[in-house]
Amino acid sequence: MDLPVIWFVIIALLWLGYLFLEGFDFGVGMLLPVLGRDETERRVLINTIGPVWDGNEVWLLVAAGATFAAFPGWYASLFSAAYLPLLFVLLALIGRGVAFEYRGKVDSPRWRRNWDRVIVIGSWVPALGVGLVLSTNVFGLPLDARGDRVGSAFAAFQWPALLGAVAVAGFALVHGAVFLSLKTDGEIRHRARSLALRVAPVALLPLVALLVLVQSREGFTWTLVPLMLALVAVVIALLRLRVGREGQAFAGLGIALALSVVTLFGALFPDVLPSTLDVANSLTVRNAASSPYTLGVMSWVALFGTPAVLVYQGWTYWVFRKRISTAHIPPVHVP
């Protein structure tokens, strides 16, 4: 059993879970002032993710923690090189969480409006930041023989990384609109579906460009298959959305995202972090992995712990699966 390869796949799956779950989560926050035309409608939007947003963020912590434990060299080189964007991501996530909890504590339009701005910023910044870091990881960093970044903190982030940032944010925007069309009813549902259909051709274009660029620079022959299937899945998702099948459209976008992650991490393998200075300095699943004993212990923990976490989170989504509308929102109550 090749444990380093298995844990490389597990980390890719963890990032997939984060991008899928937190993707629509961020999208809802981005669209708060767009689809929420009054306070009641904004409360509807927030309530669609209210029971799950904090659980979705756990996937980021687990992905980072698994990287630290399974590939400490990968974690050290990437996270130290990307400390500035990751700091902004962390601050934005903290502000976003505080905003969800505090926006309803004072019965004041100005108070709520200010916290809504924090939610919007706290949704855009992490989506852009995560896309920046992940795409930089795929295209590589200027690493020396010790695995240290060469140059300034911003020298490592070139235009392909910026394309990745916009790609993740654009996907989150469309993903959030489709999620809202699936989770809401009434006028908000129709506006969300209409918005998703209008913006998708533009918002998803950076993701398509990113996949094509990765394939042309780093990809293998086999990674062309998931890339093409991802494009087909996007088209099918939008066609199903057009006829009002929001659940199928949401699933289609999820499949497209999964195939995109396969393309990106497939093009990256067997490296975990390429060096743009010298291929000999690249970190691979072999030279960056922890000891076999450490990976073995982690595997047993994951074997028993992961199903419990997935069942619990799945149960949460099942309990809160029904659509909501403005009719379900009670009057404002301030303690």
Side-chain angles (χ1 to χ4, degrees):
M1 184 168 55
D2 199 338
L3 288 179
V5 175
I6 290 175
W7 274 98
F8 177 83
V9 174
I10 291 175
I11 290 171
L13 291 174
L14 291 172
W15 279 112
L16 170 60
Y18 179 71
L19 292 172
F20 178 77
L21 296 174
E22 198 77 326
F24 69 75
D25 197 325
F26 288 148
V28 172
M30 295 173 184
L31 295 170
L32 187 62
V34 178
L35 295 176
R37 296 182 177 177
D38 56 35
E39 172 58 19
T40 302
E41 290 187 348
R42 286 189 286 273
R43 289 175 65 192
V44 170
L45 267 60
I46 292 174
N47 283 354
T48 62
I49 59 173
V52 298
W53 68 266
D54 49 353
N56 294 343
E57 290 184 355
V58 172
W59 286 78
L60 176 62
L61 301 177
V62 177
T67 304
F68 171 76
F71 299 97
W74 182 10
Y75 177 93
S77 295
L78 177 62
F79 281 62
S80 61
Y83 69 91
L84 281 179
L86 289 175
L87 175 61
F88 291 138
V89 167
L90 179 61
L91 293 176
L93 289 175
I94 292 173
R96 186 170 179 265
V98 172
F100 282 138
E101 299 296 333
Y102 275 81
R103 74 177 301 277
K105 297 299 184 182
V106 176
D107 187 13
S108 165
R110 182 179 179 182
W111 171 272
R112 289 190 291 266
R113 188 165 55 249
N114 288 333
W115 284 118
D116 287 347
R117 292 191 183 102
V118 176
I119 292 175
V120 173
I121 295 172
S123 299
W124 278 101
V125 170
L128 292 167
V130 168
L132 181 75
V133 172
L134 285 180
S135 55
T136 296
N137 192 115
V138 173
F139 289 109
L141 286 168
L143 301 178
D144 60 19
R146 299 176 55 191
D148 296 329
R149 184 201 69 230
V150 176
S152 68
F154 293 99
F157 302 104
Q158 305 298 324
W159 72 266
L162 299 178
L163 177 63
V166 178
V168 171
F171 176 85
L173 186 69
V174 177
H175 200 32
V178 175
F179 175 77
L180 287 172
S181 70
L182 175 65
K183 279 291 294 178
T184 61
D185 209 352
E187 185 63 26
I188 300 177
R189 174 187 179 184
H190 298 303
R191 289 204 303 265
R193 185 171 69 227
S194 176
L195 178 68
L197 291 171
R198 289 200 312 272
V199 304
V202 176
L204 295 179
L205 190 59
L207 178 59
V208 175
L210 175 67
L211 294 177
V212 171
L213 183 62
V214 169
Q215 176 64 30
S216 64
R217 286 192 177 186
E218 314 289 343
F220 303 98
T221 302
W222 73 266
T223 55
L224 185 61
V225 176
L227 188 157
M228 299 303 296
L229 291 176
L231 300 181
V232 173
V234 167
V235 172
I236 293 175
L238 296 180
L239 290 176
R240 300 312 294 165
L241 182 64
R242 189 176 297 277
V243 296
R245 309 297 288 186
E246 293 98 340
Q248 295 176 12
F250 187 71
L253 285 178
I255 293 172
L257 177 64
L259 293 167
S260 300
V261 170
V262 171
T263 303
L264 295 175
F265 278 83
L268 178 63
F269 186 83
D271 292 337
V272 294
L273 184 59
S275 172
T276 58
L277 296 180
D278 188 342
V279 67
N281 298 338
S282 297
L283 301 179
T284 69
V285 292
R286 305 299 177 192
N287 63 25
S290 294
S291 67
Y293 177 79
T294 299
L295 295 178
V297 172
M298 291 174 59
S299 299
W300 282 109
V301 173
L303 181 65
F304 290 99
T306 303
V309 173
L310 293 177
V311 168
Y312 172 77
Q313 193 163 25
W315 175 79
T316 303
Y317 277 93
W318 176 257
V319 169
F320 297 100
R321 67 189 181 279
K322 293 184 178 180
R323 295 179 182 271
I324 63 174
S325 67
T326 54
H328 299 100
I329 303 299
V332 175
H333 171 71
V334 180

